[in-house]
Amino acid sequence: LIFFASVLFFLGLGTPGLFDADEPAYAGAAREMLERGDWVTPYFNGQPRFDKPILFYWLILLTYRVFGITEFAVRFWSALASVGLVVLLWRAARRRMGDEAALWTGVAFSANLLTALLARAAVTDMLLTFFVTAAILAGLIAVEQPDPANRWPARGMWAAMALAALVKGPVGLVVPAMALGGCLVV
């Protein structure tokens, strides 16, 4: 399943060229940050760009250092987050419904057209979805299996929410809180 998702999301990731309005903006801002040596303030066409939080820019900067300034480097994190989502969904389905359901969960998610498109685009959507999903799943474990000696599920939830907020802002906190809020009320 992981091999299937990796091939689907990574094969030919560097082609075609950047499209949409967001891909060139993220790529250009990260390139300017790299050229300036400034890892704090994103610039695009010489102007500060504060449209989104900083984490996605930092990740692109890291892949620029590893792979060079390429389309593959810009899209790497979306593809990796998509593979990570397949793993998260597979594990959650396996724990609740068994091996066969888990396999079909991963295949269905991977084969979804929107998933395949967003996994191959340099936008924050898949990274946000990965962190929000991780936060919700970790929060469910913390609520359903409370263990005062094991605080890792709760810590994982908070860490994933913080990373989601660094990717897309307050929505990274609000969505998991709303999803898990009902569990705490019951």
Side-chain angles (χ1 to χ4, degrees):
L1 182 61
I2 294 170
F3 177 76
F4 168 73
S6 297
V7 168
L8 181 64
F9 300 143
F10 277 100
L11 189 65
L13 188 62
T15 57
L18 300 177
F19 60 94
D20 190 67
D22 290 331
E23 279 197 314
Y26 285 119
R31 182 186 46 78
E32 286 189 43
M33 289 173 74
L34 185 65
E35 289 171 354
R36 291 173 183 264
D38 181 357
W39 284 58
V40 176
T41 308
Y43 283 86
F44 184 60
N45 290 331
Q47 300 296 317
R49 183 174 198 265
F50 298 116
D51 294 355
K52 302 285 184 204
I54 197 72
L55 184 59
F56 198 57
Y57 298 111
W58 285 343
L59 294 173
I60 294 171
L61 282 165
L62 290 174
T63 52
Y64 276 174
R65 293 261 174 132
V66 174
F67 302 115
I69 300 175
T70 64
E71 285 86 352
F72 178 86
V74 177
R75 294 178 178 141
F76 175 83
W77 294 103
S78 293
L80 186 63
S82 300
V83 172
L85 268 164
V86 170
V87 172
L88 284 176
L89 294 172
W90 173 80
R91 287 189 62 169
R94 185 171 172 230
R95 194 173 76 246
R96 292 181 178 275
M97 298 179 287
D99 289 338
E100 186 177 350
L103 175 66
W104 285 110
T105 299
V107 169
F109 179 76
S110 298
N112 180 296
L113 180 61
L114 189 57
T115 298
L117 290 174
L118 290 175
R120 303 176 63 77
V123 292
T124 58
D125 298 348
M126 292 312 279
L127 204 56
L128 173 70
T129 304
F130 173 79
F131 288 129
V132 166
T133 303
I136 292 169
L137 292 175
L140 281 174
I141 292 170
V143 168
E144 293 174 350
Q145 302 166 3
D147 181 2
N150 182 10
R151 294 185 179 163
W152 286 109
R155 289 177 180 163
M157 177 196 68
W158 289 112
M161 288 173 71
L163 290 167
L166 284 173
V167 169
K168 197 95 170 187
V171 71
L173 303 172
V174 172
V175 172
M178 288 175 55
L180 294 167
C183 294
L184 299 174
V185 172
V186 175

